[in-house]
Amino acid sequence: MKKILAFVLAIAMIASVAALSACSKKDDTKKTEETKADTNVDIAKGETAAVETQALEFEDDGVLTMATNAYFPPYEFYDGDTIVGIDAEIGKAIADKLGMEFKIEDIEFDAIITGVQSGKFDMGMAGMTVTEERLQSVDFSDSYATGIQSIIVPEGSPIKSIDDILKPGASYKVGVQLATTGDIYISDDLGDEATSRVEEYQTGNDAVAALSAGKVDAVIIDNEPAKSYVAATSGLVILDTEYVTEDYAICFAKGNPLKDKVNTALNELIKDGTVKTIIDKYISAK
Ligand code: GLN
């Protein structure tokens, strides 16, 4: 499916860059009144773009192209050369229901929203959390799964909960995957200290490797990938206390009518038990 007549693309891209920079830059997420005001300006730009992008037209070429970041097990990961996982299978089931071919593209997580906005991909499915800020840049489907931001530490770590990381005087360093909600929340909570205490990595795997190497004291990441990473790495544990609970959904360019078709297919797949079977195959039945 390709987007044509992209005459307002430039406006959408400018807004997406503004919204994304609000998402990913630590300095933009500090809890100061000044920064809140800045963020509001970005949101206002995003709303303008939302109106403008309604003018885009979408052409059905029979192929459903899903952008993901395939280093997020069990939602998406490589089995040999093939990308498998919960999102890969739900995406394929949706394409089948819509009578479309299915194609997955593996790109960096922080490029998914812009790629979807530009029409390069029909949808983004990457264990992606619905946030108010992202809703300024893209539309989301109904939610198909719940995510939890968890904290991974080395065995025997003095860090027992998020409070130990956030308490005054603490200097623990935290590793995150760039531009994920874990990055956004901890950068927001640490405020001015985020610049020196939050280390952003391109993948969760890189963040966990840095934890193993002692470069950071904790990693904040979604619970299911956390379990996979900890199972594959000795000497690490996940804290019992959760940081944040969130909803995963599929993102689309604003105004793309494909969203409604995908929602209809997704809800049928939820109702007939297909989504639960896929999730159980990778999570509950483990
Ligand atoms: N749920 C997190 C987010 O949406 C992380 C997703 C991911 O790393 N694939 O930011």
Side-chain angles (χ1 to χ4, degrees), residues 17 24 35 37 47 49-50 108 119 134 137-138 156 183 189 247 267 283 285:
V17 169
S24 61
T35 308
E47 278 166 358
E108 282 174 0
R134 289 176 182 162
S137 316
V138 284
D183 185 9
D189 280 346
D247 288 325
N267 283 309
I283 299 180

Side-chain angles (χ1 to χ4, degrees), residues 72 76 109 126-129 134 149 177 179-181 222 246 248:
F72 195 72
E76 38 267 329
F109 182 76
M128 189 179 278
T129 305
R134 289 176 182 162
Q149 292 299 314
Q177 184 183 353
T180 59
T181 44
D222 300 52
E246 42 192 23
Y248 291 167

